[in-house]
Amino acid sequence: MLDILQKLVEIPSVTEDYQHNHQAIEFIDGFLRSRGMHVKRLEFGGVESLIATTQRTKTPRVYLQAHVDVSPAPAGLYTVRQDKDKLYGRGVFDMKFAIATYLQLVDDLKDHLDRYDFGIMITSDEEYGGENGAQSLIANGYVPTKICVIPDGGDNWAIESFAKGLWFLRLTMPGTAAHGSRPWEGDSALEKLLLLIGELRQSFPHNSREERTMTVGVLHAGQSVNQIPAEASADIDIRTTTFAEHQEVFNLVTALCKKHGATMHVITKGTPCINDVDDPYYKLFIASIEATTKRPVSATMSFAGSDGRHFSEAGVLCAIVRPDGGGHHSDSEWISKEGFYQLLDVLRHYIDTATLKTAEPEHQRDYARTT
Ligand SMILES: [Zn+2]
């Protein structure tokens, strides 16, 4: 499995480097096709994706999802290095390790694939938001009927039960320019915008980990000290905790803009990702982790969005969890060696308990012997 990871890491499939993402997807395609998976290639806006399923369907019970694109790195990082406990290299944690385990899983099951109902979904634009990858695949009907497994969040086998929603909004305020000595002739766009922001802030009193938050990341106004600005804009980052709150906050900003005479532009958005932890397929996944790691799984919340938000928006349950690792997007990206191999065991356990078309005792015995 390490050799598969090495092959994947060697391809510098940086987001928007279509040629290298193509090369990586070609490799995955060849591997899965030769072992009997039904492979389909798709392309939206120049971005390639791959779907591989055990049955001929767009909608298997379970999708194992991953993105093959990575963030840029110095040339020396496109090879897997290892020490006693860790593997290092670009993408070992975010998230080529997952693809390596998917391929190994299919290799292990290649003589029995028709007994299962699962699929593998590989995209190549997650680092840029997933619009042409996961979002377009979902829009074209590629969704699991039960659950999507995404090892691109969570923390050392703590499962991501919840991720906040987000709104990135640009508020633009018009005004009238005038000399700073004659404010009665002008109308300061900046001061009006600050009043709006101040009023908005009152609806975000705590900015705490558990609650909705709001921050102003960018403010543009004015050119010189003695001129009243004719235009001002603010880029605001809002995070929400429930579907109702997500819409409520949007309505609130819309109403405040109207009241203060500003316009609003949505830079990007994402609904909160709230998982039904009582769902049987979710519980089974947790059981598979616990059977492998021999310790209880805890829940964690997330503040950054993975492709999970697109599935969540489509009402698809997601299991977002991964082994120990860190340094993603940095030069010291790493994954725990033990965790890497544990993910294969977790997936094998899960595929056997959750996606067998019918319980087949003979095969179950095989499985018991090999583990
Ligand atoms: Zn990622």
Side-chain angles (χ1 to χ4, degrees), residues 64 101-109 344 347-348 351:
L64 308 176
T101 60
Y102 299 168
L103 300 193
Q104 186 62 52
L105 177 74
V106 167
D107 191 49
D108 292 347
L109 297 175
L344 178 63
L347 293 176
R348 180 67 196 266
I351 289 304

Side-chain angles (χ1 to χ4, degrees), residues 142-346:
Y142 294 92
V143 284
T145 56
K146 299 299 182 189
I147 195 166
C148 192
V149 173
I150 311 179
D152 200 21
D155 177 27
N156 193 8
W157 293 119
I159 197 161
E160 189 176 295
S161 59
F162 167 76
K164 283 186 175 179
L166 66 88
W167 289 110
F168 289 176
L169 304 172
R170 176 164 299 155
L171 313 184
T172 305
M173 183 69 81
T176 308
H179 194 274
S181 65
R182 307 168 75 87
W184 58 88
E185 291 177 359
D187 179 25
S188 171
L190 176 56
E191 290 186 30
K192 287 194 294 180
L193 182 63
L194 291 177
L195 285 177
L196 192 170
I197 292 170
E199 193 170 338
L200 180 60
R201 155 77 40 230
Q202 288 170 23
S203 296
F204 297 81
H206 303 119
N207 264 0
S208 69
R209 183 187 158 90
E210 289 74 24
E211 293 169 89
R212 61 168 82 166
T213 62
M214 168 204 142
T215 59
V216 184
V218 179
L219 193 59
H220 283 300
Q223 282 162 6
S224 66
V225 63
N226 62 348
Q227 188 185 42
I228 292 168
E231 190 177 270
S233 72
D235 290 355
I236 295 185
D237 173 336
I238 289 173
R239 308 287 168 140
T240 58
T241 62
T242 65
F243 291 116
E245 184 181 82
H246 196 68
Q247 194 53 49
E248 180 200 322
V249 161
F250 184 78
N251 294 343
L252 173 77
V253 181
T254 306
L256 280 179
C257 282
K258 198 164 173 222
K259 178 181 166 188
H260 290 264
T263 55
M264 180 179 76
H265 163 71
V266 178
I267 301 167
T268 191
K269 62 177 179 162
T271 50
C273 185
I274 301 160
N275 281 324
D276 174 9
V277 294
D278 291 324
D279 180 275
Y281 279 81
Y282 194 82
K283 283 181 159 170
L284 265 179
F285 199 81
I286 289 175
S288 295
I289 299 172
E290 291 180 340
T292 302
T293 62
K294 314 283 184 232
R295 56 188 175 99
V297 169
S298 58
T300 179
M301 69 192 277
S302 146
F303 308 99
S306 68
D307 270 334
R309 67 196 161 97
H310 301 301
F311 289 95
S312 186
E313 210 159 324
V316 175
L317 183 68
C318 297
I320 300 178
V321 64
R322 62 186 166 192
D324 203 9
H328 26 325
H329 299 199
S330 85
D331 289 0
S332 55
E333 181 171 354
W334 64 275
I335 185 169
S336 142
K337 247 190 229 177
E338 183 190 26
F340 177 45
Y341 290 98
Q342 280 176 333
L343 179 62
L344 178 63
D345 291 342
V346 169

Side-chain angles (χ1 to χ4, degrees), residues 44-62:
F44 301 97
V47 171
E48 287 191 56
S49 297
L50 175 148
I51 298 282
T53 49
T54 55
Q55 309 294 322
R56 284 187 190 280
T57 178
K58 283 181 167 184
T59 56
R61 233 183 273 181
V62 174

